[in-house]
Amino acid sequence: MGSKIADWLDERLGWRSVWEAIFLRKIPKVNWLFTLGSATLFVAVNQAITGILLTLYYVPTPDHAYNSVQYITNEVAAGWLIRGLHHWGASAMVVLTVLHMLRVIFLGTYKYPREITWFTGVFLLIIVIGFGFTGYLLPWDQKAYWATTVGTKIASVTPGIGDWILRVMRGGPELSAVTLARFFGVHVWVLPSALMALSGLHLYLVIKIGISEMPGKDD
Amino acid sequence: MNEKKEIDRRSFLGMATWAIGGLIGAGFGIPAIAYIISPATRKDEAQDWIRLGSVSKVELGTPTLFKTKIERQTGWITKEEELSIYVLTENGRDFVAMSNICTHLGCRVRWISDQEQFFCPCHNAGFSKSGEVVSGPPPRPLDQYQVKEEDGQLYVLGG
């Protein structure tokens, strides 16, 4: 029965070849360090799921942000868990992305023909840091407020255009409702779109080119 | 036929992957469902006697509108809500307190004294002065509150 449905679908979707290309592809003999990318992907999916769930209650305005986060944490069933997964997942994201990058650097995997995979990876790291920076403001507590005050102020020491960057980031000279709203918009719309597009390309290349072998003594 | 059901390493790992994946899926899915439906499962707040106003305000034989403010906790917001209640008495002793919420789809009804009817503008429903459906789609009469009189003041039970 199950295989009949699978056959019916395969005839129309060709899903088996896709499945084989993704999960049954041949890989060289490598070690556990090569799972860091998959681990990053796993945490990214965690961030997407828990992030979508958080938006069900979170309200990005100064008079509601803090209270809605408290409501999620203390009143909603499993809210502490969903928020906790998103909070700790954020740190895990940065750690795993950096470790993944270090593995690629140390094993020379960024070289021909994988340069584009590498560059998309670099941008993905920047996106992940952007997620962390914008997400940090959203609870709208003292830590969030002052961290973003300092963080945007750091950007303002850029020579020449620093003050202008600060105003664009804050949506004005001061941290305000505008800042919170744009950080939220960037966090839930701009960065996720960019992340999906670039990680799509990144993963396509990983599968298309195949992963590298461990470098030998003479490499 | 030699039906030796030996599980090789490959299929064992395959099954283990599915099993762990299933556990992780459940680990997300179950809390997610609880999280989503949580506010809906919240019990309504305890009912309390709400003071409407002086009994002397009620006109004999005509539904009289009382407006009162109650505090309601919704999510993380405590807000004041206005409650509109029509009180009817035929003899000055027995009172009927009716909700102004149409029993069809929840619009607000108002008393039209010319026509001696409650009228709901959403779907042209009509209710008699005691709340019975006269015309239109409502499935049942206007809801009533438990009402009591104390020291010349009217109270209804609500929340």
Side-chain angles (χ1 to χ4, degrees):
Chain A
M1 179 63 188
S3 77
K4 238 183 172 173
I5 295 171
D7 287 343
W8 190 91
L9 282 172
D10 185 51
E11 220 177 313
R12 286 153 184 84
L13 297 171
W15 66 269
R16 275 205 181 99
S17 56
V18 177
W19 179 267
E20 277 164 25
I22 295 174
F23 295 109
L24 305 177
R25 68 200 143 95
K26 298 274 185 285
I27 54 165
K29 183 146 181 63
V30 290
N31 62 30
W32 282 93
L33 291 177
F34 284 70
T35 61
L36 285 166
S38 303
T40 312
L41 177 64
F42 177 80
V43 179
V45 171
N46 169 70
Q47 294 307 92
I49 294 171
T50 54
I52 288 168
L53 287 172
L54 287 173
T55 64
L56 258 48
Y57 298 107
Y58 178 72
V59 177
T61 62
D63 46 352
H64 290 303
Y66 180 79
N67 289 333
S68 61
V69 170
Q70 293 308 308
Y71 177 73
I72 292 169
T73 316
N74 301 319
E75 307 280 332
V76 181
W80 59 273
L81 178 67
I82 305 291
R83 186 183 171 206
L85 283 169
H86 200 74
H87 174 95
W88 292 104
S91 298
M93 233 9 237
V94 176
V95 171
L96 286 169
T97 313
V98 169
L99 289 177
H100 176 51
M101 183 183 74
L102 290 176
R103 188 229 98 200
V104 171
I105 291 174
F106 284 126
L107 297 182
T109 316
Y110 51 85
K111 293 175 190 171
Y112 172 84
R114 300 189 177 79
E115 298 97 323
I116 297 176
T117 323
W118 165 257
F119 282 126
T120 52
V122 171
F123 281 111
L124 282 165
L125 174 64
I126 294 168
I127 288 169
V128 167
I129 291 167
F131 267 116
F133 185 64
T134 51
Y136 210 79
L137 178 65
L138 303 184
W140 202 246
D141 52 12
Q142 288 290 322
K143 193 172 69 166
Y145 186 90
W146 293 108
T148 305
T149 301
V150 171
T152 48
K153 193 75 186 170
I154 290 171
S156 81
V157 300
T158 313
I161 54 169
D163 189 53
W164 183 76
I165 292 177
L166 173 126
R167 294 174 79 95
V168 171
M169 285 174 96
R170 291 184 180 174
E174 305 287 344
L175 226 69
S176 65
V178 181
T179 322
L180 181 56
R182 73 216 273 89
F183 270 50
F184 177 74
V186 169
H187 191 82
V188 306
W189 291 116
V190 180
L191 292 174
S193 319
L195 184 89
M196 278 201 274
L198 280 180
S199 54
L201 179 55
H202 196 76
L203 290 172
Y204 163 78
L205 290 171
V206 167
I207 289 161
K208 174 79 182 161
I209 302 172
I211 62 174
S212 65
E213 281 185 64
M214 293 289 284
K217 267 202 178 114
D218 306 324
D219 290 332
Chain B
M1 242 216 272
N2 188 7
E3 280 253 8
K4 236 168 117 191
K5 274 228 169 160
E6 220 170 74
I7 301 171
D8 61 357
R9 179 188 154 94
R10 175 172 279 265
S11 59
F12 172 76
L13 285 174
M15 286 190 295
T17 306
W18 280 112
I20 293 168
L23 282 178
I24 293 172
F28 278 100
I30 294 165
I33 290 167
Y35 175 88
I36 291 166
I37 66 173
S38 166
T41 59
R42 180 136 311 189
K43 285 213 180 69
D44 291 334
E45 282 168 75
Q47 301 231 311
D48 207 359
W49 287 102
I50 303 161
R51 197 171 71 92
L52 290 184
S54 170
V55 172
S56 57
K57 268 182 65 188
V58 185
E59 295 169 46
L60 269 183
T62 311
T64 311
L65 180 63
F66 284 88
K67 287 187 177 184
T68 182
K69 294 228 163 65
I70 58 162
E71 266 199 354
R72 224 171 230 160
Q73 177 80 21
T74 48
W76 57 90
I77 295 168
T78 309
K79 66 167 182 179
E80 258 195 355
E81 218 171 83
E82 197 176 61
L83 215 58
S84 297
I85 293 169
Y86 281 98
V87 178
L88 175 70
T89 182
E90 297 292 356
N91 54 18
R93 286 185 306 275
D94 305 313
F95 297 93
V96 177
M98 287 171 285
S99 159
N100 73 329
I101 298 170
C102 183
T103 53
H104 179 219
L105 294 170
C107 296
R108 300 297 185 263
V109 301
R110 63 194 146 87
W111 175 252
I112 311 283
S113 44
D114 301 353
Q115 297 167 11
E116 290 273 300
Q117 267 191 25
F118 289 103
F119 174 71
C120 179
C122 291
H123 303 93
N124 294 328
F127 297 88
S128 73
K129 69 177 176 182
S130 58
E132 301 295 327
V133 181
V134 176
S135 60
R140 59 171 201 278
L142 290 174
D143 290 331
Q144 296 192 354
Y145 288 91
Q146 211 177 312
V147 62
K148 72 170 181 183
E149 185 196 339
E150 233 176 68
D151 302 330
Q153 298 288 318
L154 276 173
Y155 294 83
V156 292
L157 190 61

